[in-house]
């Protein structure tokens, strides 16, 4: 109840829903990539690239915060992530019968898929930091532990939902269904942040 009544509630929910997305280098997507004959070495390289790109997002946040403020930073970051995810998702349906050849050669649709996911990490990292900043500004100090703990629980809950979808749709050929659900979640998160935080920035006294 304390969490729901906080002005940052919609931002926190938006962040938690992003954990529902399986278009990350987790177990489900790794299984799909191996199904597409992508070697573990190649997956490891792309996972490292994604981590480095996400790290760049932490530096981008600082410059964005100084120039456009935390509210606009949160908005462009979640929309950028959604855009990149949509490109990656769409690539799943382009020449979907083409796979890797175990020689680290990736067909163009699969390459676009991986690039889109890596690029989306910028939006994810920037949005995560933006929500953390908003929470620090809006949540009273005496209840930050409660709100932070609830947020972590929500993040874990939506992450678990993604794994549950993996149980319901276990075949690698059904991966687009799970990915599509994550894209819908990203869209809902973007709407929640836009109307719950961005359009209320003056009311919330945010920059």
């Amino acid at each position: 109840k304390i969490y729901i009544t906080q002005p940052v509630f919609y931002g926190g929910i938006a962040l938690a829903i992003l954990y529902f997305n399986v278009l990350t280098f987790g177990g489900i997507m790794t299984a799909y990539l191996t199904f597409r004959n992508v070697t573990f070495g190649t997956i490891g390289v792309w996972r490292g690239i994604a981590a480095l790109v996400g790290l760049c997002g932490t530096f981008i946040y600082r410059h964005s915060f100084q120039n456009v403020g935390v509210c606009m930073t949160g908005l462009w970051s979640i929309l950028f992530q959604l855009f990149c995810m949509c490109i990656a998702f769409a690539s799943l349906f382009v020449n979907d019968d083409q796979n890797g050849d175990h020689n680290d050669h990736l067909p163009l649709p699969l390459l676009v898929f991986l690039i889109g996911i890596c690029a989306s990490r910028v939006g994810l990292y920037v949005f995560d930091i933006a929500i953390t900043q908003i929470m620090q500004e809006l949540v009273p100090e005496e209840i930050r532990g409660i709100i932070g703990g609830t947020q972590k629980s929500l993040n874990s809950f939506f992450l678990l939902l993604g794994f549950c979808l993996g149980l319901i749709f276990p075949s690698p050929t059904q991966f687009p269904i799970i990915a599509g659900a994550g894209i819908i979640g990203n869209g809902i998160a973007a709407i929640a942040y836009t109307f719950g935080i961005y359009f209320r920035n003056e009311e919330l006294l945010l920059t």
Side-chain angles (χ1 to χ4, degrees):
K1 183 177 180 180
I2 296 176
Y3 181 85
I4 294 175
T5 57
Q6 294 302 305
V8 75
F9 168 71
Y10 290 102
I13 286 294
L15 177 61
I17 293 176
L18 296 184
Y19 281 78
F20 180 59
N21 185 19
V22 298
L23 292 181
T24 64
F25 286 91
I28 294 177
M29 199 182 87
T30 297
Y32 173 73
L33 291 175
T34 54
F35 169 74
R36 296 289 299 270
N37 291 335
V38 181
T39 65
F40 285 112
T42 302
I43 294 173
V45 169
W46 281 98
R47 181 176 292 174
I49 293 173
L52 289 175
V53 172
L55 183 62
C56 291
T58 63
F59 296 98
I60 293 173
Y61 172 81
R62 178 175 178 270
H63 293 286
S64 180
F65 174 75
Q66 291 176 340
N67 287 283
V68 298
V70 66
C71 261
M72 177 56 74
T73 296
L75 181 65
W76 76 252
S77 60
I78 194 171
L79 292 179
F80 178 76
Q81 185 193 13
L82 179 61
F83 173 74
C84 293
M85 288 296 184
C86 286
I87 291 177
F89 179 67
S91 70
L92 293 174
F93 303 95
V94 180
N95 296 327
D96 198 44
D97 58 336
Q98 296 186 21
N99 295 318
D101 56 9
H102 289 300
N103 291 319
D104 296 330
H105 176 266
L106 299 175
L108 182 59
L110 197 54
L111 186 62
V112 172
F113 174 72
L114 293 171
I115 291 175
I117 290 175
C118 288
S120 73
R121 308 304 287 178
V122 171
L124 176 62
Y125 277 57
V126 172
F127 185 73
D128 192 334
I129 299 173
I131 293 299
T132 301
Q133 178 71 32
I134 292 173
M135 285 187 169
Q136 289 177 345
E137 293 185 15
L138 297 183
V139 177
E141 184 176 355
E142 60 271 16
I143 60 172
R144 282 179 187 168
I146 298 175
I147 301 304
T150 304
Q151 184 65 48
K152 290 292 185 182
S153 298
L154 284 173
N155 296 348
S156 299
F157 172 74
F158 281 99
L159 180 64
L160 180 62
L161 284 184
F163 289 124
C164 288
L165 275 184
L167 291 174
I168 297 173
F169 303 102
S171 173
T173 59
Q174 297 174 313
F175 179 76
I177 298 175
I178 308 174
I183 296 294
I184 294 174
N186 273 43
I188 294 174
I191 292 172
Y193 178 83
T194 301
F195 290 96
I197 300 294
Y198 181 74
F199 284 153
R200 298 174 59 214
N201 64 331
E202 292 184 1
E203 174 189 345
L204 299 176
L205 301 178
L206 289 170
T207 56

